[in-house]
């Protein structure tokens, strides 16, 4: 099963922008994610169409599974 860490931020224009990280480590903690998100916000290291990131919105780990179908 594939996992993706999805982090959402609020920009100066009030829009949301997301950052996705594939295959986060299984032992990642909420505190580690929060610390990273604050670093992204505080150091202004991401450029967005909506301007600077001014706030953290949310974070989640999404798990997806794929089932191949034999259609031939």
């Amino acid at each position: 099963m594939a996992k993706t860490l999805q982090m959402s931020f609020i920009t100066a224009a009030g829009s949301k922008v997301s950052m996705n990280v594939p295959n986060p480590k299984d032992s990642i903690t909420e505190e580690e994610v929060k610390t990273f998100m604050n670093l992204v916000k505080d150091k202004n290291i991401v450029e967005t169409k909506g301007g600077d990131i001014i706030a953290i919105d949310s974070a989640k780990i999404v798990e997806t599974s794929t089932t191949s179908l034999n259609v031939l």
Side-chain angles (χ1 to χ4, degrees), residues 7-35:
M7 298 169 283
S8 180
F9 301 89
I10 305 294
T11 68
S15 60
K16 290 185 181 182
V17 63
S18 294
M19 178 183 292
N20 296 328
V21 177
N23 305 315
K25 64 182 183 178
D26 289 334
S27 61
I28 196 165
T29 66
E30 290 179 357
E31 191 60 36
E32 289 172 320
V33 173
K34 185 176 182 178
T35 298

Side-chain angles (χ1 to χ4, degrees), residues 32-47:
E32 289 172 320
V33 173
K34 185 176 182 178
T35 298
F36 176 75
M37 292 178 77
N38 277 316
L39 179 69
V40 169
K41 176 180 66 75
D42 295 342
K43 297 294 183 181
N44 198 26
I45 61 175
V46 176
E47 189 173 308

